[in-house]
């Protein structure tokens, strides 16, 4: 089987699961954006995915993401999902369309400067962390969402898109995804256009669809198991 056939088969199987979860939740497939997470996989896979109709791809590291964005000719949208050091924000602002992992005001300022310097507009999501037991995790606690959202909304070159989370490992993700959905309702009282809810990965996207996710970030189910962490 060629890599194109393998990706086509995996994409179809994943779409079938997405369709079933939408049906179960009474939602439309067209209300959900599939971001295919291509980290650790080559630029050639992004080209093949684009051939298969994929419009949005996700990466979690710079410079890997930037190298791929420079190499890929297909007109895909690039989503940056990972922890981001302030000193790399300017580089990421040159190719990313959406940054899902904004979790501090310093990063907002750096992304804003980078977007302005590049003459681009970046959609930013506030990453929310529901795992109070692990202070090393990326994301702001729920109480920190309003201030960070206001900072993004006020920053030149940035657009507040909404919220993102990664469910804590080894826990039932559903309550966390429900919590994110409630935070999204509150957020939209102040920022009506910030409707993105980025939640759900290969292992838990059905629960995310049930909770109202608008953006799924799916890697392994489509590209295959990654060799190591990431
Ligand atoms: C890697 C990654 C994903 C995709 O995870 P899979 O288990 O491969 O589907 C989604 N979101 C983030 C933030 C990631 O780093």
């Amino acid at each position: 089987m060629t890599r194109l056939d393998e990706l086509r088969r995996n994409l179809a199987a994943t779409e079938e699961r997405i369709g079933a979860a939408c049906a179960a939740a009474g939602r439309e497939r067209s209300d959900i954006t599939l971001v295919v997470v291509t980290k650790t996989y080559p630029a050639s896979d992004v080209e093949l995915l684009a051939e298969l109709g994929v419009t949005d791809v996700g990466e979690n590291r710079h410079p890997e993401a930037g190298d791929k964005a420079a190499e890929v000719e297909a007109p895909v949208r690039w989503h940056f999902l990972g922890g981001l050091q302030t000193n790399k924000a300017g580089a990421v602002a040159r190719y990313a369309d959406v940054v899902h992992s904004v979790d501090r005001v310093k990063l907002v300022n750096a992304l804003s400067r980078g977007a302005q310097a590049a003459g681009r507009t970046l959609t930013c999501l506030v990453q929310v962390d529901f795992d109070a037991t692990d202070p090393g995790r990326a994301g702001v606690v729920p109480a920190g969402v309003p201030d960070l959202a206001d900072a993004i909304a006020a920053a030149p070159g940035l657009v507040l898109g909404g919220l993102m989370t990664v469910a804590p490992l080894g826990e039932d993700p559903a309550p966390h995804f429900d919590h994110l959905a409630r935070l999204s309702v509150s957020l939209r009282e102040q920022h009506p256009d910030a409707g993105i809810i980025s939640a759900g990965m290969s292992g838990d996207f059905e629960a995310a669809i049930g909770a109202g996710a608008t953006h799924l970030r799916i890697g392994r189910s489509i590209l295959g198991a990654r060799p190591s962490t990431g």
Side-chain angles (χ1 to χ4, degrees), residues 37 39 60 81-82 164 166 200-203 217-221 226 230:
V37 181
K39 64 190 184 196
N60 75 332
L81 313 172
M164 176 272 211
V166 176
M201 310 176 24
S202 291
R217 309 178 310 266
I218 301 181
R220 288 172 295 139
S221 298
R226 288 178 295 274

